[in-house]
mmCIF file of all heavy atoms in Angstrom:
data_model
loop_
_atom_site.group_PDB
_atom_site.id
_atom_site.type_symbol
_atom_site.label_atom_id
_atom_site.label_comp_id
_atom_site.label_asym_id
_atom_site.label_seq_id
_atom_site.Cartn_x
_atom_site.Cartn_y
_atom_site.Cartn_z
ATOM 1 N N ARG C 165 106.013 158.205 97.514
ATOM 2 C CA ARG C 165 105.495 159.605 97.387
ATOM 3 C C ARG C 165 106.495 160.505 98.051
ATOM 4 O O ARG C 165 106.660 161.642 97.481
ATOM 5 C CB ARG C 165 104.161 159.745 98.066
ATOM 6 C CG ARG C 165 102.997 158.976 97.413
ATOM 7 C CD ARG C 165 101.663 159.066 98.086
ATOM 8 N NE ARG C 165 100.768 158.065 97.521
ATOM 9 C CZ ARG C 165 100.080 157.153 98.277
ATOM 10 N NH1 ARG C 165 100.199 157.177 99.632
ATOM 11 N NH2 ARG C 165 99.307 156.310 97.690
ATOM 12 N N GLY C 166 107.059 160.131 99.202
ATOM 13 C CA GLY C 166 108.027 161.018 99.835
ATOM 14 C C GLY C 166 109.238 161.294 98.879
ATOM 15 O O GLY C 166 109.675 162.375 98.779
ATOM 16 N N ILE C 167 109.670 160.271 98.164
ATOM 17 C CA ILE C 167 110.790 160.415 97.298
ATOM 18 C C ILE C 167 110.352 161.317 96.107
ATOM 19 O O ILE C 167 111.150 162.193 95.660
ATOM 20 C CB ILE C 167 111.270 159.080 96.761
ATOM 21 C CG1 ILE C 167 111.904 158.319 97.934
ATOM 22 C CG2 ILE C 167 112.277 159.254 95.609
ATOM 23 C CD1 ILE C 167 112.272 156.763 97.591
ATOM 24 N N ARG C 168 109.120 161.184 95.665
ATOM 25 C CA ARG C 168 108.653 161.870 94.456
ATOM 26 C C ARG C 168 108.274 163.339 94.830
ATOM 27 O O ARG C 168 108.417 164.207 93.971
ATOM 28 C CB ARG C 168 107.459 161.141 94.012
ATOM 29 C CG ARG C 168 106.902 161.659 92.687
ATOM 30 C CD ARG C 168 105.780 160.797 92.166
ATOM 31 N NE ARG C 168 104.572 160.763 93.022
ATOM 32 C CZ ARG C 168 103.614 160.028 92.900
ATOM 33 N NH1 ARG C 168 103.524 159.133 91.931
ATOM 34 N NH2 ARG C 168 102.627 160.060 93.698
ATOM 35 N N ASN C 169 107.834 163.651 96.016
ATOM 36 C CA ASN C 169 107.395 164.913 96.475
ATOM 37 C C ASN C 169 108.570 165.903 96.441
ATOM 38 O O ASN C 169 109.699 165.530 96.547
ATOM 39 C CB ASN C 169 106.868 164.944 97.923
ATOM 40 C CG ASN C 169 105.540 164.316 98.109
ATOM 41 O OD1 ASN C 169 104.862 164.099 97.013
ATOM 42 N ND2 ASN C 169 105.037 164.122 99.254
ATOM 43 N N ALA C 170 108.130 167.145 96.209
ATOM 44 C CA ALA C 170 109.167 168.259 96.405
ATOM 45 C C ALA C 170 108.447 169.288 97.359
ATOM 46 O O ALA C 170 107.444 169.778 97.008
ATOM 47 C CB ALA C 170 109.476 168.940 95.102
ATOM 48 N N ARG C 171 109.090 169.504 98.427
ATOM 49 C CA ARG C 171 108.549 170.403 99.512
ATOM 50 C C ARG C 171 107.095 170.195 99.842
ATOM 51 O O ARG C 171 106.336 171.079 99.724
ATOM 52 C CB ARG C 171 108.795 171.895 99.000
ATOM 53 C CG ARG C 171 110.217 172.186 98.726
ATOM 54 C CD ARG C 171 110.488 173.702 98.512
ATOM 55 N NE ARG C 171 111.804 173.898 97.968
ATOM 56 C CZ ARG C 171 112.972 173.722 98.716
ATOM 57 N NH1 ARG C 171 112.861 173.458 99.949
ATOM 58 N NH2 ARG C 171 114.178 173.925 98.184
ATOM 59 N N SER C 172 106.793 168.943 100.166
ATOM 60 C CA SER C 172 105.419 168.623 100.544
ATOM 61 C C SER C 172 105.498 167.584 101.637
ATOM 62 O O SER C 172 106.347 166.702 101.658
ATOM 63 C CB SER C 172 104.687 168.060 99.381
ATOM 64 O OG SER C 172 103.497 167.339 99.853
ATOM 65 N N VAL C 173 104.569 167.742 102.693
ATOM 66 C CA VAL C 173 104.575 166.781 103.717
ATOM 67 C C VAL C 173 103.478 165.704 103.551
ATOM 68 O O VAL C 173 103.370 164.835 104.326
ATOM 69 C CB VAL C 173 104.299 167.460 105.068
ATOM 70 C CG1 VAL C 173 105.422 168.422 105.432
ATOM 71 C CG2 VAL C 173 102.904 168.235 105.058
ATOM 72 N N ASP C 174 102.735 165.792 102.328
ATOM 73 C CA ASP C 174 101.663 164.898 102.144
ATOM 74 C C ASP C 174 102.106 163.497 101.612
ATOM 75 O O ASP C 174 102.649 163.403 100.492
ATOM 76 C CB ASP C 174 100.703 165.586 101.092
ATOM 77 C CG ASP C 174 99.436 164.745 100.879
ATOM 78 O OD1 ASP C 174 99.330 163.621 101.360
ATOM 79 O OD2 ASP C 174 98.526 165.275 100.147
ATOM 80 N N LEU C 175 101.965 162.450 102.446
ATOM 81 C CA LEU C 175 102.323 161.118 101.986
ATOM 82 C C LEU C 175 101.117 160.282 101.565
ATOM 83 O O LEU C 175 101.187 159.105 101.281
ATOM 84 C CB LEU C 175 103.072 160.381 103.138
ATOM 85 C CG LEU C 175 104.319 160.950 103.587
ATOM 86 C CD1 LEU C 175 105.004 160.027 104.602
ATOM 87 C CD2 LEU C 175 105.381 161.107 102.439
ATOM 88 N N GLY C 176 99.924 160.956 101.513
ATOM 89 C CA GLY C 176 98.793 160.223 101.119
ATOM 90 C C GLY C 176 98.098 159.677 102.321
ATOM 91 O O GLY C 176 98.494 159.801 103.385
#
Side-chain angles (χ1 to χ4, degrees):
Chain C
R165 290 179 196 126
I167 293 171
R168 187 175 63 186
N169 281 354
R171 301 189 192 289
S172 161
V173 295
D174 185 352
L175 295 184

